[in-house]
Amino acid sequence: MSSSRSSPINTGSRPVPHDHAPITPSSLRQSRTVSSSSMHDSMTGDAAGPSNRRDHSTDETNEASETTSLLHHEHVHEGPCDHGTFSPRASSPPPRGVNPDSEIGSTTGSDGSVPTSETQLKNWRKAFSSRVKSKKMTDTSNLAQQHGVQDSWKMYLSYYVPFFIWIRQYKWSWLKGDFTAAITIASMYLPMALSYADNLAHVPPINGLYAFAINPFIYALLGSCPLMVVGPEAAGSLLIGSIVKNSIDLGRGEEDNAVLQAKVAGVAVGIAGATVFLMGAFRLGFLDSVLSRPFLRGFISAIGVVIFIDQLIPVLGLHRAAEASSGVTHGSTVDKLKFVLTHLGARHKLTAIIGIVGFVVIMVLREIKRRLQPRYPAVAYFPDRLIVVVLSAVLTWSLDWENQGVAILGKVEAASGHIFAFRNPFQLSHMTHIRDAMGTSFLIGMLGFFESSVAAKSLGGEDIIEGMQLSPNRELVALGAANLCGACFMAIPAFGGYGRSKVNKSTGGKSPMSSLMLSIITVICILFLLPWFYYLPKPILSALIMAVAWSLIEEAPHDISFFLRIKGWSELSLMFVILAVTVFFSLNLGIAIGIGLSLLQVIRHATRPRIQILGRIPNSDRFANAEEHPEDLEFVEGCLIVKIPEPLTFANTGELKNRLRRLELYGTGNAHPALPRLRSQASNRNVIFDIHGVTSMDGSGTQVLEEIVRSYRDRGVRVFFSRPISRENKVWKLMERSGIVELVGGRNRFVDDVKDALRMTEVEELEGTGACATASDDIS
């Protein structure tokens, strides 16, 4: 622009341009003096955002000399200029294609003839289908039609019931691997199911087997992860046990009432399954990201500590002493640890020897397998836990440990006396148990889904069966349906587990057929092999659970060291609080506090506005966050450039006004409000909002933005919006309906880039001082 002032205006035959260049550089441009060449670069070079359209008028004025002004245009009227902006206007969008279904309801044929009844029926079906389908399904139908793919209800049925996908692709060569994996999992985890039910859930042991007989079968039909195997887990079983204990404490029944315990467990699992199923039906699969990794790690570690200390009592043979002491069986983990340490002399020696030796053998074999498996993959087939369980049962029978005081599993039978007895968990007569179990059951479902989600994402398997895509919403439906069916037979909760699924993958499992075979094997065991479980020693079953508890605890040091390395003090604090409250008070209180703190973190993160004040990068037309390195940027005098990089919702607009106010006063959002004003009022004559990140708005966000714009206009501040999204978008329609577009001065205040808004501010300031009118008079 300095060159335009030093050179005379060209007065050739061509019409004289209406030169809007100011006589001296305006304050808006002092940060960078723009010559004619830099002007050309700014019109064709990189912009601050994705909008990079060229102004075709530049091509028409290329032969002009260096006196060409920044805002050159042909003089088309007399008098002062009042047409607002010289920014390039977006071309009108091309007309949309006609929807192929738009003529479905036509009552006449292409030749004008009246269609037959068969054609009318066909058109009616198409019209009904188009009304029933969601927008995504309609778009899918159009896309399929464009590419010659048949769009039928079978395609959608296969998606929502993946059984129809993998069963069509199943190969006989997979049968051997699936059967081997099912046998291996059954040998390792069926004894664990008995132990979970008896020692953690406090229900009859057969209810643990029900979880392997029913849930994997249902998940194989509906689940979207082909390699995941669902089954009972320690955390869910422990929570069921807390519900059963609470029911007894409230006087709902006696300690030895197996029918009541099974009924309470069925009700709790039914609520958990219904919760998870409804979450899937309402597409709440995104909730797997709500609870943070520190919360899950802290809670799982706390469960590991609770289980390990709980199982010390049966492993050391202190169960009779614990029953005789009041407040121990239903006490806190600290109370149980104190009891163990003060009653070591009352331990049953043979039971303690069996339990401790069994635990050591299980851990040693586990470590040997872990170290040998990378070199010898066949080691994964070695049924170490089954060998320990079978050997201990044989020794119990041959050495008559039962009569020597060692507790054994005893007769395994259904509480009602009938195997696979169906019972509706949602009967009106169960309303008392439903109220008691509601909160904990919800947590059982949430934790089960989170663990299943982690396992599914780690396993993959989409490369084996084409068309099976992992979906959190369908996982919720599959897991919920599986537990609803299990609850009808009073099974303990069953969800996906990474360890069990990893065994399935490493031992040859290729498809959900391994889960079907696991269910069949479990049913065979329930029908024919229950008498063989009679002599299983309870200290060995407790040792198996202690090994699982140890595996839950041993993962915590890695996460702790990671958060220490990155100085994640808030994450470490959350883990410690959950662990301490769970151990010193109760599991339910630890859960409640952990979820509360996690949700507070989510709400705090979601409600904090992330608006930024922008400064210009020297010698460019690009802008960057001025709060990070303000010394490296140039600030345009008289303009406040604010970037809103996120959708505006009721959550993040509550503090938007205060955050904006701080930017006006101090030029940063990091200043304490006790400071006096640092930016003059004149520095905020023009406010430019970069709204490229505002991809959506709700009613509350629109209302707050309207109030902000109205406040600026009442104070005489010019407001501009740069980089708005398409005018076909809902955001633009909301801005029009709310009056924001009218408040700022019309559509011309919405420009393609920040530099275009800066040009408009300069023009309008010149118009306000009468410079345009003076220049017009001089030319005329």
Side-chain angles (χ1 to χ4, degrees):
M1 294 179 68
S2 58
S3 62
S4 66
R5 290 191 306 273
S6 60
S7 302
I9 299 177
N10 186 1
T11 58
S13 59
R14 177 187 178 109
V16 178
H18 189 165
D19 192 350
H20 293 269
I23 299 174
T24 59
S26 72
S27 58
L28 295 179
R29 294 293 178 266
Q30 286 180 359
S31 60
R32 179 188 175 203
T33 303
V34 183
S35 64
S36 59
S37 60
S38 63
M39 162 58 198
H40 182 74
D41 294 339
S42 69
M43 294 297 290
T44 58
D46 293 338
S51 179
N52 201 23
R53 291 181 294 233
R54 293 188 55 182
D55 188 353
H56 297 289
S57 64
T58 307
D59 298 331
E60 299 174 3
T61 59
N62 277 342
E63 72 265 27
S65 66
E66 291 185 357
T67 61
T68 304
S69 67
L70 178 65
L71 300 173
H72 171 78
H73 78 295
E74 297 297 332
H75 183 59
V76 296
H77 66 84
E78 297 181 357
C81 305
D82 59 357
H83 40 67
T85 180
F86 299 94
S87 302
R89 298 301 180 92
S91 59
S92 300
R96 290 186 170 186
V98 180
N99 190 343
D101 293 334
S102 61
E103 298 182 7
I104 285 175
S106 177
T107 58
T108 60
S110 59
D111 57 354
S113 60
V114 179
T116 64
S117 59
E118 182 180 353
T119 306
Q120 288 180 345
L121 179 61
K122 185 177 180 180
N123 290 341
W124 180 85
R125 288 176 178 174
K126 288 183 178 180
F128 178 76
S129 177
S130 65
R131 290 180 179 273
V132 170
K133 285 183 177 179
S134 64
K135 183 180 184 300
K136 183 178 291 186
M137 294 177 70
T138 303
D139 293 343
T140 303
S141 300
N142 297 338
L143 192 63
Q145 184 175 357
Q146 292 174 10
H147 291 79
V149 178
Q150 184 180 5
D151 177 40
S152 64
W153 62 270
K154 294 181 181 179
M155 180 178 70
Y156 297 102
L157 178 63
S158 297
Y159 178 80
Y160 291 107
V161 185
F163 169 78
F164 295 110
I165 295 178
W166 66 261
I167 197 64
R168 289 198 300 264
Q169 302 179 37
Y170 195 80
K171 302 176 182 178
W172 287 108
S173 58
W174 297 352
L175 189 61
K176 178 182 177 182
D178 288 334
F179 181 73
T180 304
I183 287 289
T184 306
I185 294 173
S187 65
M188 295 175 62
Y189 288 96
L190 289 187
M192 297 291 298
L194 294 168
S195 187
Y196 285 155
D198 186 57
N199 291 351
L200 295 182
H202 304 292
V203 297
I206 194 173
N207 294 66
L209 296 179
Y210 287 161
F212 269 128
I214 299 168
N215 296 50
F217 186 90
I218 302 299
Y219 182 83
L221 303 180
L222 302 176
S224 62
C225 182
L227 297 178
M228 191 162 73
V229 179
V230 301
E233 294 290 334
S237 302
L238 184 67
L239 292 172
I240 289 294
S242 69
I243 296 174
V244 171
K245 286 183 178 179
N246 181 62
S247 179
I248 295 173
D249 292 342
L250 294 174
R252 314 289 190 210
E254 300 297 328
E255 189 86 36
D256 57 350
N257 190 343
V259 175
L260 173 67
Q261 294 168 358
K263 184 190 302 182
V264 170
V267 169
V269 175
I271 297 173
T275 301
V276 173
F277 184 87
L278 291 175
M279 287 170 58
F282 289 103
R283 306 183 65 81
L284 300 180
F286 63 89
L287 289 178
D288 66 342
S289 303
V290 170
L291 297 185
S292 63
R293 177 77 176 268
F295 167 81
L296 294 176
R297 176 52 55 212
F299 182 69
I300 290 174
S301 299
I303 284 180
V305 172
V306 169
I307 291 174
F308 193 90
I309 295 176
D310 276 359
Q311 297 309 303
L312 284 175
I313 294 176
V315 163
L316 297 177
L318 293 172
H319 53 282
R320 292 189 178 89
E323 292 172 358
S325 301
S326 59
V328 175
T329 304
H330 296 178
S332 67
T333 301
V334 173
D335 295 334
K336 293 176 182 177
L337 181 60
K338 189 185 301 182
F339 170 81
V340 170
L341 295 177
T342 56
H343 289 76
L344 284 176
R347 69 187 182 278
H348 188 266
K349 293 183 179 179
L350 180 58
T351 300
I353 292 173
I354 295 171
I356 294 173
V357 171
F359 176 74
V360 171
V361 170
I362 292 170
M363 295 301 295
V364 169
L365 291 176
R366 173 176 170 268
E367 186 65 20
I368 291 174
K369 284 183 66 175
R370 187 181 67 84
R371 296 192 177 189
L372 291 179
Q373 193 166 345
R375 185 179 299 179
Y376 307 103
V379 173
Y381 296 91
F382 182 71
D384 51 331
R385 298 179 190 178
L386 179 64
I387 291 175
V388 172
V389 169
V390 171
L391 184 60
S392 64
V394 172
L395 291 175
T396 301
W397 171 72
S398 60
L399 299 179
D400 198 19
W401 284 349
E402 181 183 6
N403 291 329
Q404 298 181 41
V406 177
I408 63 173
L409 189 61
K411 187 177 182 181
V412 179
E413 59 182 357
S416 62
H418 302 284
I419 295 176
F420 291 115
F422 181 89
R423 184 185 293 271
N424 179 12
F426 301 110
Q427 298 178 25
L428 292 178
S429 59
H430 296 165
M431 191 56 63
T432 302
H433 302 308
I434 291 174
R435 285 196 299 266
D436 294 341
M438 185 68 73
T440 308
S441 297
F442 173 77
L443 185 65
I444 291 172
M446 292 293 291
L447 286 178
F449 169 59
F450 292 147
E451 187 172 1
S452 303
S453 179
V454 172
K457 292 175 183 177
S458 303
L459 289 167
E462 294 88 350
D463 54 337
I464 300 176
I465 300 177
E466 183 181 354
M468 284 193 71
Q469 304 174 20
L470 183 63
S471 166
N473 294 316
R474 286 186 295 149
E475 283 295 293
L476 284 167
V477 170
L479 294 170
N483 281 281
L484 278 173
C485 293
C488 294
F489 299 93
M490 295 168 288
I492 60 177
F495 291 92
Y498 179 69
R500 181 172 53 246
S501 302
K502 189 177 179 180
V503 171
N504 178 45
K505 183 177 181 179
S506 62
T507 54
K510 298 289 185 183
S511 72
M513 183 64 75
S514 59
S515 294
L516 293 179
M517 291 181 175
L518 175 61
S519 294
I520 294 172
I521 292 171
T522 308
V523 170
I524 293 173
C525 290
I526 293 174
L527 294 178
F528 304 106
L529 302 181
L530 289 183
W532 292 26
F533 298 139
Y534 183 90
Y535 286 102
L536 288 180
K538 286 192 174 183
I540 292 296
L541 296 178
S542 297
L544 288 172
I545 296 179
M546 288 179 66
V548 174
W550 182 266
S551 68
L552 298 179
I553 299 171
E554 68 179 356
E555 297 177 7
H558 176 269
D559 287 351
I560 292 174
S561 64
F562 175 80
F563 290 123
L564 284 173
R565 189 164 65 250
I566 66 171
K567 297 183 179 180
W569 307 124
S570 61
E571 290 81 4
L572 288 171
S573 301
L574 180 62
M575 293 174 62
F576 176 76
V577 167
I578 295 174
L579 178 63
V581 172
T582 302
V583 171
F584 284 94
F585 294 97
S586 68
L587 185 63
N588 291 338
L589 184 59
I591 292 168
I593 291 178
I595 290 180
L597 292 176
S598 292
L599 291 179
L600 282 176
Q601 287 183 341
V602 172
I603 294 171
R604 181 189 176 194
H605 180 75
T607 56
R608 182 180 181 184
R610 293 169 181 81
I611 60 174
Q612 306 166 1
I613 184 170
L614 299 183
R616 183 162 52 190
I617 299 174
N619 301 320
S620 74
D621 286 316
R622 292 183 294 120
F623 297 82
N625 186 3
E627 297 188 66
E628 295 180 352
H629 301 287
E631 67 279 359
D632 298 334
L633 300 173
E634 298 173 343
F635 293 88
V636 181
E637 186 177 345
C639 286
L640 178 66
I641 308 174
V642 178
K643 180 180 181 180
I644 306 178
E646 60 185 350
L648 293 179
T649 65
F650 73 95
N652 60 5
T653 52
E655 288 295 317
L656 184 59
K657 292 182 180 179
N658 293 335
R659 177 85 170 166
L660 256 176
R661 186 63 177 164
R662 289 195 189 184
L663 294 183
E664 293 177 33
L665 296 176
Y666 313 117
T668 175
N670 298 325
H672 195 279
L675 272 175
R677 187 184 192 110
L678 302 181
R679 283 173 57 94
S680 65
Q681 189 72 31
S683 300
N684 305 320
R685 297 192 303 270
N686 305 280
V687 176
I688 301 172
F689 289 105
D690 182 354
I691 58 171
H692 185 65
V694 184
T695 56
S696 64
M697 283 198 307
D698 62 7
S700 300
T702 307
Q703 186 177 27
V704 171
L705 185 60
E706 190 270 345
E707 293 171 356
I708 291 172
V709 172
R710 185 179 295 278
S711 173
Y712 279 134
R713 297 300 296 163
D714 291 343
R715 287 153 49 190
V717 177
R718 304 183 189 92
V719 180
F720 303 85
F721 289 92
S722 72
R723 300 202 297 167
I725 58 177
S726 168
R727 293 185 179 180
E728 300 295 328
N729 192 279
K730 181 181 177 182
V731 173
W732 176 260
K733 295 177 181 178
L734 284 173
M735 296 181 96
E736 281 193 318
R737 293 170 186 165
S738 62
I740 294 175
V741 176
E742 183 180 355
L743 275 175
V744 300
R747 293 191 174 194
N748 62 328
R749 294 294 184 100
F750 291 78
V751 295
D752 291 337
D753 215 314
V754 175
K755 66 178 185 291
D756 297 330
L758 289 174
R759 292 192 188 98
M760 290 189 64
T761 62
E762 183 172 351
V763 171
E764 296 202 7
E765 289 207 350
L766 290 173
E767 291 177 354
T769 58
C772 283
T774 302
S776 178
D777 293 338
D778 292 341
I779 293 173
S780 61

